[in-house]
Amino acid sequence: MKQIELRVNGERVVREVADSRLLLDFLRNDLGLTGSKEGCSIGVCGACTVLLDGQAISSCLALAVFADKHDVTTIEGLAEDGRLHPLQQAFIDFGGFQCGICTSGQIMSAKALLDSNAHPSEGEIKAWMMGNLCRCTGYYKIIESIQAAAEGRVGA
Amino acid sequence: MVTASSVGRAVGHVEGPGKVSGRAQYTADLTLPGILAGKCLRSPFAHARIRSIDTTRARALPGVRAVLTSVDLPDRNIGRRVLDIPMLARDRVRFIGEKVAAVAAESADIAEEAILLIDVDYEELPAVFDAVEAMKDGAPILHDNAAAYAGMPQPLPDFPNAVSQVFYRKGDIKTGFAEADRIFEHTFYAPSVHQGYLEPHACVVQIEAGGRINAWLSNKTPFTARAQLAAALDVPEQRIVVHLMPLGGDFGGKGSLMDTVVCYYLAERSGAPVKMVMTYTEELMAGNPRHTTVVTMRTGVTNDGRMTARQAKFISNSGAYAAFVPSPLATLHGATHTAGAYRVPHVEVEALRVYTNTVPTGHMRAPGAPQAVFAEEVHMDMVANELGLDPVELRLRNSLVEGDESSLGEHWQSIMSKETLRAAARDARWGEAKPPNVGRGIALYERTPGTGESTETLTIDADARITLLTAVPDTGTGSHTILQQIVAEELQVPISSVAVQAGDTDIAAYDSGAGGSRVTHAAGRATQATAVELRKALIELAARIFGTGPESVSLQGGRFVAAADQLTLAELMLRARELEEAPITRQGSYVSPRGHSEVTSFAAQIAEVEVDRETGQVTIRRVVSAHDVGRIINPLTHQGQIEGGIVQAIGQTLTEQLIVADGSVTNPNLGDYKLPTMADIPALSTLLLETRHGPAPYEGKAIGELSNVALPAAIANAVYDAVGVRLTALPITAEKVYMALQAREGTGA
């Protein structure tokens, strides 16, 4: 067991965790933040994507102790004052989700993309987002959602 | 006459906020006080006798609360129709991945450790993996007395390892072949593929002190699940509550109980609620993927390309059990699509299903049809090629037109076959020049709308809040939004003022669940009927308040209007409160006609591909997907069904297959089982040819299983058009194309 201290969605968290505790399990089971999902368990599907100091990572491959002294942002931390983040609104308006199981990961990856590249080309979106699988949408409307958020065409 | 204010709008209201914010709770997200984690030990052998199981060491592990083997469970099998799968293997295992023992422990880590401490003594038996081999005399037999299984159609066909043999006939096949100038025969292969939903099966079972059983399931048919669970546990259905959970993808795969029965007995034995979540590896080695098929097509044609006869033999590999297919005939109904979406006078389709020592197979998006149409539509191209006819021209010559009888004897209104083919061909620049190594291929498919039964409950309270209570689970298709739109349309209120509550099986009325392209039709019609009833009740109330008859009151622009009076809905409900008549609740039901459908829908899909001759790599440059559709209730979700189906079809054509060696799935993770990514999608052109006469509200038709079926054949045909190699086995990997190119060059062709 090790004590870790980190910020999760802006709030300070201090917890005892087993050395082997995965960050995903820590978020879901210890903190009750179940928006991050477990799909493949091997870092391929992207459903567990969270931001660690702003970088998109697969939380199913990271240990909780790895997040010690770092900032973690999950899907639950995206809305501000009850208002959805433009990416979240865009995924609703443009059909970027269906079953929703990959959606948290898609949005977190897209946030990391737009934070580093405010106006990505379609090719840049595809290259960046290929680590987030979606079986429902065929991806077309996810691309459209990200483009709409980048261009401020949201909440009309 | 409806005003079309809500219907026809691209909205994603109900499901959206919960899903984009991470608030939507899926089954695996649930927790309860004292909940335990359940895990299963699975067989490492494809076929073996279990001599003994020793659970002593597992039971001794701290934190373990229950360990079960078959001796702890009732001697009952489970299944969707044929009850042939044991809750836990009894004396024998029949596939690698079969559940042998189960553990409930205080954490998933402890449960996983415990299952490794269970010692099983196996005696290996001869095994058979290929369906054609399994049918031969002398093949190892999986089930000693399959005819005795409840739900197994009788009599059992007379070949080894038989599950079912069903014939579909029209006309006289001998006459048809006698009328042919030429007869062509080809055989096709399609491997098992997984539905690929990213949410593995999950269940939570809690038994209350009084014996009530709560089940939270990743299941798309809650009432059917309740009935199956009641039968498995031998308890009355009313003792069970199945809670509706959003599904993290279904595509036909989430219609069975999977681990639920074992989860119940773990909860019973441990005295605590238990959650079981499959890993993705378990999904790929022991879920219920699509059937591997071998399909032989035989077609008689005249020299000018008119079909006189068609015969098909569709052999599907059921895997070790038949339990995951709900058909009363224990068959894959999609086999009928080998008959084709064409005018053929004499037809015989033979559909066979065979046990082997491989993963039991189930339903996946248009079950059986993708395999059937891949065979049928590549075969069509091969016939066109032999006759020296253009593939579109051959299809047009055999197209159904108004008044025709389909290949299996159906009569439909508003047949749009030729229009759909021509629209696709025009958009794809069919017949126009192409760069080198680029080819175009086409395929046609037809599917009738789904059928089902539904009762919906609609309430308006004193504050004019409208709530639809439904047992339709949210599988991701946007069905709750569609139902919301229908209510809004009929009551002339804004969409956002209608709430949709997914009710459990105690509070919501019966619904046959999601699947088979039925929800917008059956639940949609029930919702519409319910809303009409509520509107009638509101009009009657307004009439009483106005002191007139209901025939003098109408709903206009959201207001209840009589000669000199009018009330908004909010005002009306305030009066209802004063009169102690609020809330007002109405129920409406719908049972769709079974059997014959008045209409069908055509889908003509064209792929344009480029083949790299150096590597065999196939790149899909563009897809044209032409559909004859009904009135579209929600363009956003309708298009989502088309796009998602197309990309699934691309995966299943180019990269996806469960690679099975000696019964073992050798790619049991999403790193090796290749689902398409965002980088793999082609340019897409969707063409919607609107007709009416659909059975869904406002003359809508189904779309969910129309986008994923024809495309594999279109891609295969495009590869042939590009580089002249004909691939008859899916998937069309770079290796296969490369080898085929090499083989052709080797023969100097």
Side-chain angles (χ1 to χ4, degrees):
Chain A
M1 297 294 277
K2 185 177 187 301
Q3 180 170 298
I4 58 171
E5 180 182 345
L6 65 160
R7 293 188 85 78
V8 178
N9 299 330
E11 284 181 30
R12 182 169 164 271
V13 172
V14 182
R15 282 284 202 290
E16 288 271 315
V17 294
D19 296 356
S20 61
R21 190 71 159 162
L22 292 171
L23 179 57
L24 177 62
D25 292 336
F26 173 72
L27 293 169
R28 286 175 54 83
N29 301 336
D30 297 353
L31 303 187
L33 297 172
T34 54
S36 306
K37 306 300 182 189
E38 181 164 10
C40 70
S41 315
I42 57 167
V44 168
C45 77
C48 67
T49 306
V50 300
L51 304 186
L52 188 77
D53 299 335
Q55 301 285 316
I57 64 161
S58 293
S59 62
C60 76
L61 294 185
L63 295 173
V65 293
F66 183 67
D68 188 24
K69 309 280 192 292
H70 290 279
D71 259 329
V72 174
T73 310
T74 71
I75 188 71
E76 290 90 346
L78 230 50
E80 278 180 31
D81 303 327
R83 279 184 66 87
L84 293 178
H85 185 278
L87 270 167
Q88 293 174 308
Q89 191 62 49
F91 271 65
I92 297 177
D93 294 346
F94 293 85
F97 76 92
Q98 284 185 28
C99 83
I101 206 79
C102 75
T103 307
S104 302
Q106 301 281 357
I107 291 174
M108 296 315 289
S109 282
K111 176 165 193 322
L113 167 63
L114 296 188
D115 286 348
S116 65
N117 177 0
H119 297 286
S121 67
E122 186 173 325
E124 287 171 330
I125 293 173
K126 285 183 176 178
W128 182 280
M129 297 294 297
M130 65 186 283
N132 288 84
L133 298 177
C134 171
R135 189 59 152 179
C136 295
T137 64
Y139 303 107
Y140 295 93
K141 295 195 185 304
I142 295 177
I143 297 172
E144 222 179 313
S145 302
I146 295 170
Q147 288 171 332
E151 292 160 16
R153 290 185 284 118
V154 176
Chain B
M1 188 64 202
V2 295
T3 57
S5 60
S6 300
V7 164
R9 283 183 56 192
V11 289
H13 279 264
V14 199
E15 302 93 342
K19 288 183 180 179
V20 301
S21 63
R23 283 202 315 274
Q25 290 271 299
Y26 298 75
T27 306
D29 300 335
L30 289 180
T31 191
L32 292 165
I35 196 165
L36 304 176
K39 286 281 171 189
C40 289
L41 175 70
R42 294 176 182 275
S43 168
F45 294 108
H47 201 186
R49 198 171 304 288
I50 298 173
R51 285 208 198 96
S52 64
I53 305 178
D54 183 352
T55 59
T56 316
R57 292 195 298 148
R59 287 175 203 279
L61 186 72
V64 170
R65 298 278 297 276
V67 180
L68 297 177
T69 67
S70 66
V71 298
D72 305 303
L73 303 177
D75 188 8
R76 280 191 295 272
N77 290 334
I78 56 178
R80 296 179 71 177
R81 181 73 62 162
V82 177
L83 305 186
D84 66 351
I85 194 161
M87 299 172 185
L88 291 172
R90 266 193 286 278
D91 48 3
R92 195 160 159 188
V93 287
R94 297 181 174 88
F95 73 99
I96 294 172
E98 180 159 1
K99 292 191 279 262
V100 172
V103 171
E106 284 159 14
S107 75
D109 287 348
I110 297 171
E112 269 167 25
E113 196 181 336
I115 61 172
L116 298 176
L117 297 175
I118 297 171
D119 301 303
V120 186
D121 184 13
Y122 293 102
E123 175 192 340
E124 269 197 89
L125 296 169
V128 62
F129 311 113
D130 178 83
V132 176
E133 292 300 316
M135 293 168 68
K136 291 179 180 166
D137 284 335
I141 300 296
L142 272 81
H143 297 266
D144 299 331
N145 189 9
Y149 291 133
M152 185 65 97
Q154 307 291 336
L156 210 56
D158 187 24
F159 57 86
N161 294 305
V163 176
S164 63
Q165 178 184 34
V166 181
F167 286 93
Y168 304 88
R169 293 191 178 96
K170 190 187 81 170
D172 177 61
I173 194 72
K174 281 190 185 135
T175 306
F177 281 120
E179 289 170 358
D181 295 321
R182 301 183 68 182
I183 295 170
F184 299 98
E185 181 176 315
H186 308 108
T187 295
F188 302 86
Y189 170 85
S192 184
V193 294
H194 192 274
Q195 291 85 356
Y197 40 70
L198 290 183
E199 177 207 38
H201 274 88
C203 56
V204 173
V205 176
Q206 178 202 45
I207 307 167
E208 293 174 16
R212 289 279 289 173
I213 300 159
N214 288 290
W216 292 263
L217 311 176
S218 56
N219 186 295
K220 62 180 184 143
T221 53
F223 279 93
T224 312
R226 186 180 74 162
Q228 289 169 358
L229 189 56
L233 307 180
D234 194 23
V235 302
E237 285 188 40
Q238 290 69 24
R239 244 181 53 210
I240 301 171
V241 189
V242 173
H243 298 265
L244 261 66
M245 304 302 292
L247 268 68
D250 163 29
F251 319 117
K254 300 251 178 85
S256 82
L257 293 177
M258 204 51 78
D259 289 338
T260 310
V261 178
V262 168
C263 193
Y264 168 84
Y265 285 109
L266 286 173
E268 184 192 58
R269 181 61 61 98
S270 63
V274 176
K275 173 157 78 174
M276 296 181 78
V277 183
M278 286 170 79
T279 64
Y280 220 93
T281 293
E282 289 181 295
E283 274 286 350
L284 289 166
M285 67 189 287
N288 65 136
R290 182 181 281 166
H291 294 57
T292 296
T293 54
V294 178
V295 180
T296 298
M297 298 293 311
R298 192 160 181 260
T299 300
V301 287
T302 60
N303 284 325
D304 63 352
R306 280 183 304 105
M307 281 194 263
T308 61
R310 165 150 286 170
Q311 195 171 24
K313 186 172 188 176
F314 181 102
I315 303 173
S316 64
N317 187 334
S318 174
Y321 296 98
F324 291 109
V325 167
S327 150
L329 301 174
T331 189
L332 270 185
H333 188 69
T336 55
H337 289 282
T338 52
Y342 301 104
R343 186 177 55 241
V344 199
H346 304 285
V347 177
E348 181 182 281
V349 173
E350 179 184 6
L352 299 143
R353 205 160 152 242
V354 187
Y355 285 125
T356 69
N357 295 107
T358 58
V359 187
T361 45
H363 270 187
M364 178 171 177
R365 203 166 186 168
Q371 302 99 308
V373 172
F374 172 71
E376 190 274 328
E377 283 296 274
V378 175
H379 175 67
M380 268 312 258
D381 246 52
M382 295 167 86
V383 171
N385 190 243
E386 290 286 339
L387 293 176
L389 280 174
D390 178 88
V392 171
E393 180 55 31
L394 177 66
R395 286 173 172 85
L396 286 171
R397 282 189 195 178
N398 291 283
S399 270
L400 294 167
V401 295
E402 208 73 26
D404 277 346
E405 184 182 77
S406 79
S407 55
L408 285 172
E410 294 285 302
H411 295 268
W412 295 309
Q413 301 174 15
S414 311
I415 289 177
M416 293 285 283
S417 171
K418 285 189 173 179
E419 291 83 349
T420 311
L421 280 166
R422 286 192 177 119
R426 201 178 310 119
D427 192 84
R429 300 166 182 255
W430 189 266
E432 290 182 29
K434 297 159 294 192
N437 302 320
V438 169
R440 299 186 188 114
I442 190 164
L444 180 71
Y445 170 56
E446 144 297 297
R447 184 181 190 86
T448 53
T451 58
E453 177 181 347
S454 188
T455 298
E456 305 291 334
T457 310
L458 192 59
T459 299
I460 184 164
D461 70 10
D463 294 324
R465 285 180 298 216
I466 302 163
T467 304
L468 180 75
L469 175 64
T470 184
V472 175
D474 172 17
T475 60
T477 56
S479 48
H480 289 180
T481 298
I482 296 248
L483 302 184
Q484 182 194 36
Q485 287 178 270
I486 292 168
V487 173
E489 181 76 23
E490 296 300 334
L491 297 181
Q492 297 180 17
V493 295
I495 293 171
S496 58
S497 69
V498 181
V500 179
Q501 182 190 356
D504 61 47
T505 54
D506 264 11
I507 63 168
Y510 180 83
D511 178 88
S512 42
S517 297
R518 75 161 73 96
V519 172
T520 302
H521 174 197
R525 286 283 289 272
T527 299
Q528 190 181 28
T530 309
V532 167
E533 284 303 311
L534 184 62
R535 187 176 64 204
K536 210 182 291 175
L538 293 168
I539 283 175
E540 282 165 9
L541 176 66
R544 268 184 286 140
I545 291 166
F546 296 153
T548 180
E551 67 287 345
S552 312
V553 179
S554 62
L555 181 57
Q556 292 174 22
R559 288 165 178 272
F560 294 85
V561 180
D565 301 293
Q566 57 172 293
L567 284 171
T568 65
L569 185 59
E571 290 162 351
L572 179 65
M573 291 315 294
L574 278 177
R575 299 293 299 276
R577 172 155 61 184
E578 291 159 16
L579 297 168
E580 294 184 356
E581 296 213 20
I584 303 171
T585 295
R586 286 295 180 273
Q587 253 185 5
S589 298
Y590 177 76
V591 183
S592 67
R594 288 219 161 248
H596 175 69
S597 172
E598 297 291 316
V599 294
T600 193
S601 301
F602 288 86
Q605 293 181 311
I606 294 179
E608 182 177 295
V609 307
E610 181 166 9
V611 179
D612 182 338
R613 285 179 179 267
E614 298 294 314
T615 63
Q617 177 81 36
V618 175
T619 304
I620 303 174
R621 290 157 52 105
R622 187 161 185 264
V623 167
V624 177
S625 200
H627 300 269
D628 98 77
V629 298
R631 170 85 168 275
I632 294 171
I633 296 175
N634 187 327
L636 195 67
T637 55
H638 189 271
Q639 185 64 20
Q641 288 298 304
I642 293 173
E643 293 172 359
I646 282 170
V647 176
Q648 286 184 10
I650 288 172
Q652 290 149 23
T653 309
L654 298 184
T655 60
E656 291 179 41
Q657 64 174 324
L658 286 172
I659 303 169
V660 182
D662 294 337
S664 178
V665 175
T666 63
N667 56 343
N669 63 72
L670 288 183
D672 294 325
Y673 183 95
K674 296 287 188 189
L675 297 174
T677 75
M678 194 183 277
D680 299 319
I681 63 173
L684 169 63
S685 172
T686 304
L687 308 171
L688 303 176
L689 287 71
E690 191 169 314
T691 60
R692 293 296 166 93
H693 309 298
Y698 321 113
E699 303 195 67
K701 293 209 261 186
I703 190 66
E705 295 170 289
L706 276 149
S707 54
N708 65 312
V709 176
L711 193 57
I715 294 168
N717 293 339
V719 170
Y720 178 79
D721 187 50
V723 292
V725 298
R726 183 61 80 180
L727 293 168
T728 54
L730 290 173
I732 299 172
T733 58
E735 290 89 335
K736 278 191 203 162
V737 175
Y738 178 78
M739 296 304 281
L741 283 164
Q742 290 290 306
R744 203 189 47 176
E745 277 158 27
T747 62

